[in-house]
Amino acid sequence: MQNEDTSAFRRKGDLGVPFVIALFALSIIIGWVVFRNYENSAKEITASLARIQEESKTFTITDCAGKTMEWFSKCDAMTQLCDSTVPRMIKVCLANSDKSSQCPQYGNEIYGYNFGAKQCKQYMHGSKMKRNKKACGDVWQVIAEYCKDAAKVTMQKTQ
C-alpha cells in the first residue's frame, strides 16, 4: 500500500494549493482593510454624536432635523453606519434639552402617515435621492414619536 503510485492524481503544473493559499492571504488583507474602515467610521460617528450633543442645547426641533440631515449629507463613514446612525443622531439632539413645548406646532400631523413629507421635499433631488428620502423619513419619524410621547406625558399631567 505504501508504494502506490499517486502520480495519476497529480497533474503537471497543479496550482491548487498555491491558489488556496493566495486566496486565504487575500481574504485576510481584505478583512483587515474593512475592519480599519469600520473602526475609523465608528470613531467619526462617535465624535459626531458628541458634537451634536454639545451643540443641540439651544436647537429647536427643526434645527435638530436640519443639522441631522446636514451631518448625513457629509457623512464619510461606511454607508450602512451613516444610514443607521440617523435615528440615533436626532434622538441625541432631541433628548439634550426639553423641546416638547415646540410639538404643538405640528398638531395632529404627527399621527398621520405622511408626517414629514413636506419637510423632506428639499432633499428629494440629485443622485442620492433615495438615501436622503430614507434618512429624512427616519428623522421625522423620530420627531413624531418624540412629540407623541410628549403629548402622552402632557395628558397624564393634566388628568
Side-chain angles (χ1 to χ4, degrees), residues 16-28:
V17 172
F19 179 75
V20 169
I21 292 171
L23 198 59
F24 182 71
L26 183 64
S27 67
I28 288 174

Side-chain angles (χ1 to χ4, degrees), residues 14-146:
D14 189 11
L15 297 175
V17 172
F19 179 75
V20 169
I21 292 171
L23 198 59
F24 182 71
L26 183 64
S27 67
I28 288 174
I29 291 168
I30 290 173
W32 182 80
V33 168
V34 169
F35 174 74
R36 295 298 297 170
N37 190 11
Y38 176 81
E39 192 175 50
N40 291 335
S41 295
K43 287 178 184 176
E44 177 186 334
I45 286 172
T46 302
S48 297
L49 286 168
R51 198 172 323 115
I52 197 81
Q53 186 175 14
E54 278 296 313
E55 296 173 356
S56 66
K57 292 176 183 169
T58 60
F59 286 175
T60 64
I61 290 177
T62 309
D63 292 340
C64 284
K67 284 290 187 179
T68 301
M69 288 305 295
E70 180 183 321
W71 169 83
F72 179 75
S73 66
K74 295 177 184 175
C75 184
D76 290 332
M78 295 173 80
T79 303
Q80 183 62 37
L81 291 177
C82 290
D83 292 347
S84 65
T85 302
V86 168
R88 285 176 54 203
M89 183 72 66
I90 188 73
K91 284 177 184 175
V92 165
C93 189
L94 292 173
N96 201 17
S97 64
D98 185 21
K99 296 171 178 47
S100 60
S101 62
Q102 301 166 31
C103 289
Q105 69 181 325
Y106 302 114
N108 287 331
E109 275 185 83
I110 60 173
Y111 299 103
Y113 178 73
N114 290 326
F115 179 66
K118 287 189 298 191
Q119 294 86 345
C120 291
K121 279 186 181 175
Q122 65 187 10
Y123 302 106
M124 300 302 127
H125 55 79
S127 61
K128 294 184 178 182
M129 184 180 97
K130 188 174 182 179
R131 281 189 68 219
N132 287 343
K133 182 178 178 182
K134 183 186 179 316
C136 190
D138 288 347
V139 165
W140 287 97
Q141 182 63 41
V142 170
I143 290 170
E145 292 302 318
Y146 177 83

